[in-house]
Amino acid sequence: MLTVSIDDVSLKNTIVTVGKFDGIHKGHEKLFDTMRAISNGRQRVVLTFKSNPKNFLNDKNNKTIVTENEKLLLCEEQGIDVFIEMPLTKEFLSMSREDFLSEILIKKLGATSIVCGTDFRFGSKASGNVDFLRDNQKKYEYSLVVVEKEQYDKVDISSTVIRDKIASGDIREVNTLLDHPYRIIGKVLEGKQLGRKMDVPTANIIPQETKLLPPNGVYRTIVVVDNEKYHAITNIGINPTVDDDNKIKVETHIIDAKKYLYHETIEVRFYDFIRPERKFENIDELKAQIIKDIEKCRELQ
């Protein structure tokens, strides 16, 4: 997959879709599947944004389901050919709908087909919509394909719904709506090696501040390292039994395999919530509980 800056791109005869794509959920996959079905050899292009426009305008830092790196990885898994992140400058946000269509989608991205959802909006004050795109097909010589929203239990699948599920810790529902496991990707840091002393070594990563995390607690996970997958158990939280810095960490122990992952970049995929995080009276009590948690993970594999 080619990743390029909007300033450097000059494409011809492409299929383009545009959006925040937070999570790359089933609804987004429906767009990508449509692009694949009508591609006829044309490049499939995703234009996305480095920040939610609403967050940019309100100067808020709302959490996202995926980080920018995770979004890139998921688009690559979906077979996207060209991935472009648009910086959200005030100049861009004030661009008229006509200029966005003619200068960005047509001139820079070379769109001969535009694929979007029914509620797609763009341009200054979100004045551009499906009707505007439909009315301008002949003028700019492209075809418009509008994709109906994907639903689950008669409710539209959206990033907002998925964020609520993550916040409540309903990982199975989250994965169903995403159509892939919720994941955290990061570089393993050297810690106190307390886990190794308890014979349960952990790979510790610090999640990005923008990443929306499920509730603190213990989860059944799978760790991906160099394309190899390992069953694992993961704690999200501050580890109150042994730490007092209140910094959220993601600590993962690979089950039934001796593997030390310092400085490796790993992907932790989440599948089941095991129990909430809590403080134990001592290390022995903590270790006994970890053994029980591991057995629970084995039962759920």
Side-chain angles (χ1 to χ4, degrees), residues 196-256:
R196 188 186 294 193
K197 294 174 185 176
M198 292 192 298
D199 202 31
V200 281
T202 58
N204 304 332
I205 59 180
I206 304 297
Q208 291 189 19
E209 291 184 2
T210 57
K211 177 79 174 180
L212 178 63
L213 300 175
N216 289 0
V218 177
Y219 296 83
R220 182 179 75 87
T221 57
I222 285 178
V223 174
V224 184
V225 189
D226 293 330
N227 296 319
E228 294 288 333
K229 297 178 182 177
Y230 303 91
H231 288 288
I233 184 170
T234 298
N235 184 78
I236 294 179
I238 60 174
N239 203 338
T241 305
V242 296
D243 285 331
D244 55 10
D245 60 5
N246 291 323
K247 190 165 191 174
I248 297 291
K249 294 176 284 292
V250 178
E251 301 175 291
T252 298
H253 168 68
I254 294 176
I255 298 173
D256 299 328

Short mmCIF file of all heavy atoms in Angstrom, two decimals, residues 196-256:
data_model
loop_
_atom_site.label_atom_id
_atom_site.label_comp_id
_atom_site.label_asym_id
_atom_site.label_seq_id
_atom_site.Cartn_x
_atom_site.Cartn_y
_atom_site.Cartn_z
N ARG A 196 8.67 -11.56 35.64
CA ARG A 196 9.62 -12.65 35.42
C ARG A 196 9.96 -13.33 36.75
O ARG A 196 10.10 -14.55 36.82
CB ARG A 196 10.88 -12.11 34.74
CG ARG A 196 11.83 -13.22 34.31
CD ARG A 196 13.15 -12.70 33.78
NE ARG A 196 12.99 -11.97 32.55
CZ ARG A 196 14.04 -11.62 31.77
NH1 ARG A 196 15.27 -11.95 32.13
NH2 ARG A 196 13.84 -10.96 30.66
N LYS A 197 10.10 -12.53 37.80
CA LYS A 197 10.42 -13.10 39.12
C LYS A 197 9.29 -13.98 39.63
O LYS A 197 9.52 -14.92 40.40
CB LYS A 197 10.71 -11.97 40.12
CG LYS A 197 11.98 -11.17 39.79
CD LYS A 197 12.14 -9.97 40.71
CE LYS A 197 13.34 -9.12 40.31
NZ LYS A 197 13.45 -7.88 41.12
N MET A 198 8.05 -13.68 39.21
CA MET A 198 6.90 -14.51 39.61
C MET A 198 6.67 -15.64 38.62
O MET A 198 5.67 -16.34 38.69
CB MET A 198 5.64 -13.63 39.71
CG MET A 198 5.66 -12.63 40.83
SD MET A 198 4.01 -11.90 41.10
CE MET A 198 3.72 -11.08 39.53
N ASP A 199 7.57 -15.78 37.63
CA ASP A 199 7.45 -16.79 36.58
C ASP A 199 6.28 -16.52 35.65
O ASP A 199 5.74 -17.44 35.02
CB ASP A 199 7.35 -18.20 37.17
CG ASP A 199 7.77 -19.27 36.16
OD1 ASP A 199 8.65 -18.97 35.32
OD2 ASP A 199 7.20 -20.37 36.20
N VAL A 200 5.86 -15.25 35.57
CA VAL A 200 4.85 -14.82 34.59
C VAL A 200 5.36 -13.54 33.92
O VAL A 200 4.83 -12.45 34.14
CB VAL A 200 3.45 -14.59 35.23
CG1 VAL A 200 2.73 -15.90 35.46
CG2 VAL A 200 3.56 -13.80 36.53
N PRO A 201 6.43 -13.65 33.10
CA PRO A 201 7.01 -12.45 32.48
C PRO A 201 6.01 -11.73 31.60
O PRO A 201 5.18 -12.37 30.94
CB PRO A 201 8.17 -13.02 31.65
CG PRO A 201 7.81 -14.45 31.42
CD PRO A 201 7.08 -14.89 32.65
N THR A 202 6.08 -10.42 31.62
CA THR A 202 5.13 -9.62 30.84
C THR A 202 5.86 -8.72 29.85
O THR A 202 6.98 -8.28 30.10
CB THR A 202 4.25 -8.75 31.75
OG1 THR A 202 5.08 -7.89 32.54
CG2 THR A 202 3.39 -9.60 32.65
N ALA A 203 5.19 -8.46 28.74
CA ALA A 203 5.63 -7.46 27.78
C ALA A 203 4.78 -6.22 28.02
O ALA A 203 3.55 -6.27 27.92
CB ALA A 203 5.44 -7.98 26.35
N ASN A 204 5.43 -5.10 28.37
CA ASN A 204 4.71 -3.91 28.78
C ASN A 204 4.79 -2.82 27.72
O ASN A 204 5.88 -2.49 27.23
CB ASN A 204 5.30 -3.37 30.09
CG ASN A 204 5.29 -4.41 31.20
OD1 ASN A 204 4.43 -5.29 31.21
ND2 ASN A 204 6.23 -4.33 32.11
N ILE A 205 3.64 -2.27 27.36
CA ILE A 205 3.61 -1.14 26.43
C ILE A 205 2.77 -0.02 27.04
O ILE A 205 1.85 -0.27 27.82
CB ILE A 205 3.07 -1.54 25.04
CG1 ILE A 205 1.65 -2.12 25.13
CG2 ILE A 205 4.01 -2.52 24.35
CD1 ILE A 205 1.07 -2.51 23.77
N ILE A 206 3.13 1.20 26.68
CA ILE A 206 2.36 2.38 27.10
C ILE A 206 1.50 2.80 25.93
O ILE A 206 2.02 3.19 24.88
CB ILE A 206 3.30 3.54 27.52
CG1 ILE A 206 4.26 3.09 28.63
CG2 ILE A 206 2.47 4.73 27.97
CD1 ILE A 206 3.60 2.70 29.92
N PRO A 207 0.17 2.72 26.04
CA PRO A 207 -0.68 3.10 24.91
C PRO A 207 -0.64 4.60 24.64
O PRO A 207 -0.38 5.40 25.54
CB PRO A 207 -2.08 2.67 25.38
CG PRO A 207 -2.00 2.68 26.87
CD PRO A 207 -0.59 2.30 27.23
N GLN A 208 -0.86 4.96 23.39
CA GLN A 208 -0.91 6.38 23.04
C GLN A 208 -2.06 7.06 23.78
O GLN A 208 -3.11 6.47 24.01
CB GLN A 208 -1.09 6.55 21.53
CG GLN A 208 0.13 6.13 20.72
CD GLN A 208 0.00 6.51 19.26
OE1 GLN A 208 -0.79 7.36 18.88
NE2 GLN A 208 0.79 5.87 18.42
N GLU A 209 -1.85 8.33 24.13
CA GLU A 209 -2.86 9.07 24.90
C GLU A 209 -4.17 9.22 24.14
O GLU A 209 -5.22 9.39 24.74
CB GLU A 209 -2.30 10.44 25.28
CG GLU A 209 -1.16 10.38 26.30
CD GLU A 209 -0.69 11.76 26.73
OE1 GLU A 209 -1.28 12.75 26.25
OE2 GLU A 209 0.25 11.84 27.52
N THR A 210 -4.11 9.19 22.81
CA THR A 210 -5.32 9.36 22.00
C THR A 210 -6.15 8.09 21.89
O THR A 210 -7.27 8.12 21.40
CB THR A 210 -4.95 9.83 20.59
OG1 THR A 210 -4.06 8.87 20.00
CG2 THR A 210 -4.30 11.19 20.61
N LYS A 211 -5.59 6.96 22.36
CA LYS A 211 -6.25 5.67 22.19
C LYS A 211 -7.34 5.46 23.22
O LYS A 211 -7.12 5.60 24.43
CB LYS A 211 -5.20 4.56 22.32
CG LYS A 211 -5.74 3.14 22.24
CD LYS A 211 -6.01 2.72 20.82
CE LYS A 211 -6.41 1.25 20.76
NZ LYS A 211 -6.66 0.81 19.38
N LEU A 212 -8.53 5.11 22.76
CA LEU A 212 -9.63 4.78 23.67
C LEU A 212 -9.43 3.37 24.21
O LEU A 212 -9.38 2.40 23.44
CB LEU A 212 -10.97 4.87 22.93
CG LEU A 212 -12.21 4.50 23.75
CD1 LEU A 212 -12.40 5.46 24.91
CD2 LEU A 212 -13.45 4.48 22.87
N LEU A 213 -9.31 3.25 25.52
CA LEU A 213 -9.05 1.96 26.16
C LEU A 213 -10.31 1.42 26.83
O LEU A 213 -11.14 2.19 27.32
CB LEU A 213 -7.96 2.11 27.22
CG LEU A 213 -6.59 2.60 26.72
CD1 LEU A 213 -5.66 2.81 27.92
CD2 LEU A 213 -5.97 1.64 25.72
N PRO A 214 -10.44 0.10 26.88
CA PRO A 214 -11.53 -0.48 27.67
C PRO A 214 -11.24 -0.30 29.15
O PRO A 214 -10.14 0.13 29.54
CB PRO A 214 -11.51 -1.96 27.26
CG PRO A 214 -10.13 -2.21 26.79
CD PRO A 214 -9.63 -0.92 26.20
N PRO A 215 -12.18 -0.65 30.03
CA PRO A 215 -11.97 -0.47 31.48
C PRO A 215 -10.74 -1.23 31.96
O PRO A 215 -10.37 -2.28 31.42
CB PRO A 215 -13.25 -1.03 32.09
CG PRO A 215 -14.28 -0.94 31.02
CD PRO A 215 -13.55 -1.15 29.73
N ASN A 216 -10.11 -0.68 33.01
CA ASN A 216 -8.97 -1.37 33.62
C ASN A 216 -9.39 -2.78 34.04
O ASN A 216 -10.46 -2.98 34.64
CB ASN A 216 -8.47 -0.61 34.84
CG ASN A 216 -7.78 0.69 34.47
OD1 ASN A 216 -7.67 1.03 33.29
ND2 ASN A 216 -7.31 1.41 35.46
N GLY A 217 -8.54 -3.74 33.73
CA GLY A 217 -8.85 -5.11 34.10
C GLY A 217 -8.01 -6.10 33.32
O GLY A 217 -7.08 -5.73 32.60
N VAL A 218 -8.39 -7.37 33.45
CA VAL A 218 -7.66 -8.48 32.84
C VAL A 218 -8.47 -9.02 31.66
O VAL A 218 -9.68 -9.21 31.77
CB VAL A 218 -7.40 -9.59 33.88
CG1 VAL A 218 -6.70 -10.78 33.24
CG2 VAL A 218 -6.58 -9.04 35.04
N TYR A 219 -7.78 -9.29 30.55
CA TYR A 219 -8.43 -9.72 29.31
C TYR A 219 -7.72 -10.92 28.71
O TYR A 219 -6.49 -11.06 28.81
CB TYR A 219 -8.41 -8.59 28.28
CG TYR A 219 -9.21 -7.38 28.70
CD1 TYR A 219 -8.65 -6.41 29.55
CD2 TYR A 219 -10.52 -7.19 28.27
CE1 TYR A 219 -9.38 -5.30 29.94
CE2 TYR A 219 -11.26 -6.08 28.67
CZ TYR A 219 -10.69 -5.14 29.50
OH TYR A 219 -11.41 -4.05 29.89
N ARG A 220 -8.50 -11.77 28.04
CA ARG A 220 -7.90 -12.81 27.20
C ARG A 220 -7.51 -12.16 25.88
O ARG A 220 -8.33 -11.48 25.25
CB ARG A 220 -8.89 -13.96 26.95
CG ARG A 220 -8.27 -15.09 26.10
CD ARG A 220 -9.24 -16.22 25.89
NE ARG A 220 -10.28 -15.89 24.91
CZ ARG A 220 -10.16 -16.05 23.58
NH1 ARG A 220 -9.03 -16.53 23.07
NH2 ARG A 220 -11.17 -15.76 22.78
N THR A 221 -6.28 -12.39 25.45
CA THR A 221 -5.78 -11.73 24.26
C THR A 221 -4.99 -12.70 23.39
O THR A 221 -4.71 -13.84 23.78
CB THR A 221 -4.85 -10.55 24.63
OG1 THR A 221 -3.78 -11.03 25.46
CG2 THR A 221 -5.61 -9.46 25.38
N ILE A 222 -4.63 -12.24 22.22
CA ILE A 222 -3.64 -12.90 21.37
C ILE A 222 -2.61 -11.85 21.00
O ILE A 222 -2.96 -10.71 20.63
CB ILE A 222 -4.28 -13.51 20.10
CG1 ILE A 222 -5.04 -14.80 20.46
CG2 ILE A 222 -3.23 -13.79 19.03
CD1 ILE A 222 -5.74 -15.46 19.31
N VAL A 223 -1.33 -12.21 21.13
CA VAL A 223 -0.24 -11.31 20.80
C VAL A 223 0.32 -11.71 19.43
O VAL A 223 0.56 -12.89 19.17
CB VAL A 223 0.87 -11.37 21.86
CG1 VAL A 223 2.07 -10.53 21.44
CG2 VAL A 223 0.35 -10.86 23.19
N VAL A 224 0.52 -10.70 18.58
CA VAL A 224 1.13 -10.94 17.28
C VAL A 224 2.51 -10.29 17.27
O VAL A 224 2.64 -9.09 17.50
CB VAL A 224 0.26 -10.36 16.14
CG1 VAL A 224 0.88 -10.70 14.78
CG2 VAL A 224 -1.17 -10.89 16.23
N VAL A 225 3.53 -11.12 17.02
CA VAL A 225 4.92 -10.65 16.94
C VAL A 225 5.54 -11.25 15.69
O VAL A 225 5.58 -12.48 15.54
CB VAL A 225 5.74 -11.09 18.18
CG1 VAL A 225 7.10 -10.41 18.17
CG2 VAL A 225 5.01 -10.82 19.47
N ASP A 226 5.99 -10.40 14.79
CA ASP A 226 6.62 -10.89 13.55
C ASP A 226 5.72 -11.91 12.84
O ASP A 226 6.18 -12.97 12.39
CB ASP A 226 7.99 -11.51 13.84
CG ASP A 226 9.00 -10.47 14.32
OD1 ASP A 226 8.88 -9.30 13.91
OD2 ASP A 226 9.89 -10.84 15.09
N ASN A 227 4.42 -11.60 12.80
CA ASN A 227 3.41 -12.43 12.13
C ASN A 227 3.15 -13.77 12.83
O ASN A 227 2.40 -14.60 12.31
CB ASN A 227 3.81 -12.69 10.66
CG ASN A 227 3.82 -11.42 9.85
OD1 ASN A 227 2.93 -10.57 9.99
ND2 ASN A 227 4.82 -11.26 8.99
N GLU A 228 3.75 -13.99 13.99
CA GLU A 228 3.46 -15.18 14.80
C GLU A 228 2.44 -14.81 15.88
O GLU A 228 2.53 -13.74 16.49
CB GLU A 228 4.74 -15.71 15.45
CG GLU A 228 5.76 -16.26 14.46
CD GLU A 228 5.33 -17.58 13.84
OE1 GLU A 228 4.55 -18.32 14.49
OE2 GLU A 228 5.75 -17.86 12.70
N LYS A 229 1.48 -15.72 16.13
CA LYS A 229 0.43 -15.47 17.10
C LYS A 229 0.60 -16.34 18.34
O LYS A 229 0.93 -17.53 18.22
CB LYS A 229 -0.94 -15.73 16.48
CG LYS A 229 -1.27 -14.82 15.31
CD LYS A 229 -2.62 -15.18 14.70
CE LYS A 229 -2.93 -14.31 13.49
NZ LYS A 229 -4.22 -14.70 12.85
N TYR A 230 0.36 -15.73 19.52
CA TYR A 230 0.51 -16.44 20.78
C TYR A 230 -0.70 -16.13 21.67
O TYR A 230 -1.08 -14.96 21.81
CB TYR A 230 1.78 -16.01 21.51
CG TYR A 230 3.06 -16.19 20.72
CD1 TYR A 230 3.54 -15.16 19.92
CD2 TYR A 230 3.78 -17.38 20.78
CE1 TYR A 230 4.71 -15.31 19.19
CE2 TYR A 230 4.96 -17.55 20.06
CZ TYR A 230 5.41 -16.51 19.26
OH TYR A 230 6.57 -16.66 18.54
N HIS A 231 -1.27 -17.16 22.30
CA HIS A 231 -2.32 -16.93 23.29
C HIS A 231 -1.71 -16.20 24.49
O HIS A 231 -0.59 -16.49 24.90
CB HIS A 231 -2.94 -18.25 23.74
CG HIS A 231 -3.80 -18.88 22.69
ND1 HIS A 231 -5.02 -18.37 22.34
CD2 HIS A 231 -3.59 -19.98 21.91
CE1 HIS A 231 -5.56 -19.12 21.40
NE2 HIS A 231 -4.71 -20.10 21.11
N ALA A 232 -2.47 -15.25 25.04
CA ALA A 232 -1.91 -14.41 26.09
C ALA A 232 -2.99 -13.92 27.05
O ALA A 232 -4.19 -14.09 26.80
CB ALA A 232 -1.19 -13.20 25.47
N ILE A 233 -2.53 -13.33 28.13
CA ILE A 233 -3.40 -12.66 29.09
C ILE A 233 -2.84 -11.26 29.30
O ILE A 233 -1.63 -11.07 29.39
CB ILE A 233 -3.46 -13.45 30.42
CG1 ILE A 233 -4.44 -12.80 31.40
CG2 ILE A 233 -2.08 -13.63 31.04
CD1 ILE A 233 -4.72 -13.67 32.61
N THR A 234 -3.74 -10.28 29.33
CA THR A 234 -3.30 -8.88 29.36
C THR A 234 -4.02 -8.11 30.45
O THR A 234 -5.25 -8.24 30.61
CB THR A 234 -3.58 -8.20 28.00
OG1 THR A 234 -2.81 -8.86 26.99
CG2 THR A 234 -3.20 -6.72 28.03
N ASN A 235 -3.26 -7.31 31.19
CA ASN A 235 -3.85 -6.40 32.17
C ASN A 235 -3.72 -4.96 31.67
O ASN A 235 -2.63 -4.51 31.29
CB ASN A 235 -3.13 -6.52 33.52
CG ASN A 235 -3.78 -5.65 34.59
OD1 ASN A 235 -4.82 -6.01 35.13
ND2 ASN A 235 -3.19 -4.50 34.87
N ILE A 236 -4.83 -4.26 31.66
CA ILE A 236 -4.82 -2.82 31.39
C ILE A 236 -5.05 -2.12 32.73
O ILE A 236 -6.00 -2.43 33.44
CB ILE A 236 -5.93 -2.42 30.41
CG1 ILE A 236 -5.67 -3.02 29.03
CG2 ILE A 236 -6.02 -0.90 30.29
CD1 ILE A 236 -6.75 -2.68 28.01
N GLY A 237 -4.17 -1.18 33.06
CA GLY A 237 -4.37 -0.44 34.30
C GLY A 237 -3.08 0.07 34.90
O GLY A 237 -2.06 0.19 34.22
N ILE A 238 -3.14 0.33 36.18
CA ILE A 238 -2.01 0.95 36.88
C ILE A 238 -1.25 -0.05 37.74
O ILE A 238 -0.26 0.32 38.38
CB ILE A 238 -2.50 2.12 37.76
CG1 ILE A 238 -3.50 1.63 38.81
CG2 ILE A 238 -3.11 3.22 36.89
CD1 ILE A 238 -3.92 2.69 39.80
N ASN A 239 -1.71 -1.30 37.78
CA ASN A 239 -1.10 -2.35 38.59
C ASN A 239 -0.90 -1.87 40.04
O ASN A 239 0.22 -1.71 40.52
CB ASN A 239 0.26 -2.77 38.00
CG ASN A 239 0.65 -4.17 38.44
OD1 ASN A 239 0.18 -4.67 39.45
ND2 ASN A 239 1.53 -4.80 37.68
N PRO A 240 -2.00 -1.64 40.75
CA PRO A 240 -1.93 -0.98 42.07
C PRO A 240 -1.21 -1.79 43.14
O PRO A 240 -0.80 -1.23 44.16
CB PRO A 240 -3.41 -0.78 42.43
CG PRO A 240 -4.14 -1.85 41.67
CD PRO A 240 -3.39 -2.00 40.38
N THR A 241 -1.04 -3.10 42.94
CA THR A 241 -0.37 -3.91 43.95
C THR A 241 1.12 -3.57 44.05
O THR A 241 1.70 -3.60 45.13
CB THR A 241 -0.54 -5.41 43.64
OG1 THR A 241 -1.94 -5.69 43.51
CG2 THR A 241 0.05 -6.27 44.74
N VAL A 242 1.74 -3.22 42.90
CA VAL A 242 3.19 -3.02 42.90
C VAL A 242 3.61 -1.63 42.41
O VAL A 242 4.77 -1.25 42.56
CB VAL A 242 3.89 -4.09 42.02
CG1 VAL A 242 3.67 -5.47 42.60
CG2 VAL A 242 3.38 -4.03 40.58
N ASP A 243 2.71 -0.87 41.83
CA ASP A 243 3.06 0.46 41.31
C ASP A 243 2.24 1.54 41.99
O ASP A 243 1.12 1.29 42.43
CB ASP A 243 2.84 0.53 39.79
CG ASP A 243 3.91 -0.19 39.01
OD1 ASP A 243 5.04 -0.27 39.51
OD2 ASP A 243 3.62 -0.67 37.91
N ASP A 244 2.80 2.74 42.03
CA ASP A 244 2.05 3.86 42.61
C ASP A 244 2.13 5.11 41.73
O ASP A 244 1.89 6.21 42.21
CB ASP A 244 2.56 4.18 44.02
CG ASP A 244 4.06 4.44 44.06
OD1 ASP A 244 4.68 4.57 42.99
OD2 ASP A 244 4.60 4.53 45.18
N ASP A 245 2.48 4.94 40.44
CA ASP A 245 2.63 6.12 39.58
C ASP A 245 1.34 6.48 38.83
O ASP A 245 1.26 7.51 38.17
CB ASP A 245 3.77 5.93 38.57
CG ASP A 245 3.56 4.74 37.64
OD1 ASP A 245 2.47 4.11 37.71
OD2 ASP A 245 4.47 4.43 36.85
N ASN A 246 0.30 5.61 38.93
CA ASN A 246 -1.01 5.86 38.32
C ASN A 246 -0.95 6.01 36.80
O ASN A 246 -1.85 6.61 36.20
CB ASN A 246 -1.67 7.10 38.94
CG ASN A 246 -2.09 6.87 40.37
OD1 ASN A 246 -2.53 5.77 40.72
ND2 ASN A 246 -1.93 7.87 41.22
N LYS A 247 0.09 5.49 36.17
CA LYS A 247 0.20 5.56 34.71
C LYS A 247 -0.38 4.30 34.10
O LYS A 247 -0.04 3.18 34.50
CB LYS A 247 1.67 5.73 34.30
CG LYS A 247 1.84 6.06 32.83
CD LYS A 247 3.25 6.56 32.54
CE LYS A 247 3.33 7.13 31.13
NZ LYS A 247 4.64 7.75 30.86
N ILE A 248 -1.29 4.48 33.14
CA ILE A 248 -1.93 3.33 32.51
C ILE A 248 -0.92 2.56 31.67
O ILE A 248 -0.21 3.14 30.84
CB ILE A 248 -3.11 3.78 31.62
CG1 ILE A 248 -4.20 4.45 32.45
CG2 ILE A 248 -3.68 2.58 30.86
CD1 ILE A 248 -4.94 3.52 33.38
N LYS A 249 -0.86 1.26 31.91
CA LYS A 249 0.04 0.39 31.15
C LYS A 249 -0.75 -0.80 30.61
O LYS A 249 -1.80 -1.17 31.16
CB LYS A 249 1.18 -0.12 32.03
CG LYS A 249 2.14 0.97 32.52
CD LYS A 249 3.19 0.43 33.46
CE LYS A 249 2.64 0.18 34.86
NZ LYS A 249 2.27 1.41 35.57
N VAL A 250 -0.22 -1.40 29.56
CA VAL A 250 -0.78 -2.62 28.99
C VAL A 250 0.27 -3.71 29.17
O VAL A 250 1.31 -3.69 28.53
CB VAL A 250 -1.13 -2.43 27.50
CG1 VAL A 250 -1.67 -3.73 26.91
CG2 VAL A 250 -2.14 -1.30 27.33
N GLU A 251 0.00 -4.66 30.10
CA GLU A 251 0.98 -5.68 30.46
C GLU A 251 0.47 -7.04 30.01
O GLU A 251 -0.59 -7.48 30.43
CB GLU A 251 1.19 -5.67 31.98
CG GLU A 251 1.69 -4.32 32.50
CD GLU A 251 1.78 -4.29 34.02
OE1 GLU A 251 0.71 -4.30 34.66
OE2 GLU A 251 2.91 -4.24 34.54
N THR A 252 1.26 -7.70 29.17
CA THR A 252 0.82 -8.93 28.53
C THR A 252 1.76 -10.08 28.83
O THR A 252 2.98 -9.96 28.67
CB THR A 252 0.72 -8.72 27.01
OG1 THR A 252 -0.25 -7.71 26.73
CG2 THR A 252 0.31 -10.01 26.31
N HIS A 253 1.17 -11.20 29.25
CA HIS A 253 1.94 -12.43 29.48
C HIS A 253 1.53 -13.46 28.44
O HIS A 253 0.34 -13.76 28.27
CB HIS A 253 1.65 -12.97 30.88
CG HIS A 253 2.17 -14.37 31.10
ND1 HIS A 253 3.51 -14.66 31.17
CD2 HIS A 253 1.50 -15.55 31.26
CE1 HIS A 253 3.67 -15.96 31.37
NE2 HIS A 253 2.47 -16.52 31.43
N ILE A 254 2.52 -13.99 27.71
CA ILE A 254 2.25 -15.05 26.75
C ILE A 254 2.09 -16.37 27.51
O ILE A 254 2.93 -16.75 28.31
CB ILE A 254 3.39 -15.14 25.72
CG1 ILE A 254 3.42 -13.87 24.86
CG2 ILE A 254 3.23 -16.38 24.84
CD1 ILE A 254 4.57 -13.82 23.88
N ILE A 255 0.98 -17.04 27.23
CA ILE A 255 0.65 -18.27 27.94
C ILE A 255 1.37 -19.46 27.29
O ILE A 255 1.35 -19.61 26.07
CB ILE A 255 -0.87 -18.51 27.94
CG1 ILE A 255 -1.58 -17.36 28.67
CG2 ILE A 255 -1.22 -19.84 28.58
CD1 ILE A 255 -3.09 -17.41 28.57
N ASP A 256 1.98 -20.27 28.12
CA ASP A 256 2.60 -21.53 27.66
C ASP A 256 3.73 -21.32 26.66
O ASP A 256 3.97 -22.17 25.79
CB ASP A 256 1.55 -22.48 27.05
CG ASP A 256 0.48 -22.86 28.06
OD1 ASP A 256 0.82 -22.95 29.26
OD2 ASP A 256 -0.67 -23.06 27.66
#
